[in-house]
Amino acid sequence: MGDQILTVKEVAQYLKVNDRTVYRMAASGKLPGFKVGTSWRFKQTEIEQWIQAQHNQTGNESS
């Protein structure tokens, strides 16, 4: 159970975006997360994997 769980605010700070952006992306399935009651939560390792996938996708388009 060493996986860190992040809140919307923490993910927003980590990605340097607005809280609303995180809510919108999570609700649309673009950002990996899960709900606990009415609150969104995110596994840090999944966010880091998502960032890497976005980086790889961007890198492939410019080739």
Side-chain angles (χ1 to χ4, degrees), residues 6-21:
L6 305 174
T7 64
V8 167
K9 188 174 289 296
E10 291 169 329
V11 172
Q13 289 173 344
Y14 188 59
L15 297 177
K16 298 187 182 356
V17 298
N18 192 287
D19 293 4
R20 293 180 68 142
T21 302

Side-chain angles (χ1 to χ4, degrees), residues 30-51:
K30 294 180 182 176
L31 192 63
F34 59 95
K35 282 188 129 181
V36 176
T38 59
S39 301
W40 281 98
R41 295 293 183 262
F42 306 87
K43 287 186 175 183
Q44 185 173 357
T45 54
E46 290 180 357
I47 296 299
E48 290 169 355
Q49 291 169 355
W50 177 83
I51 291 169

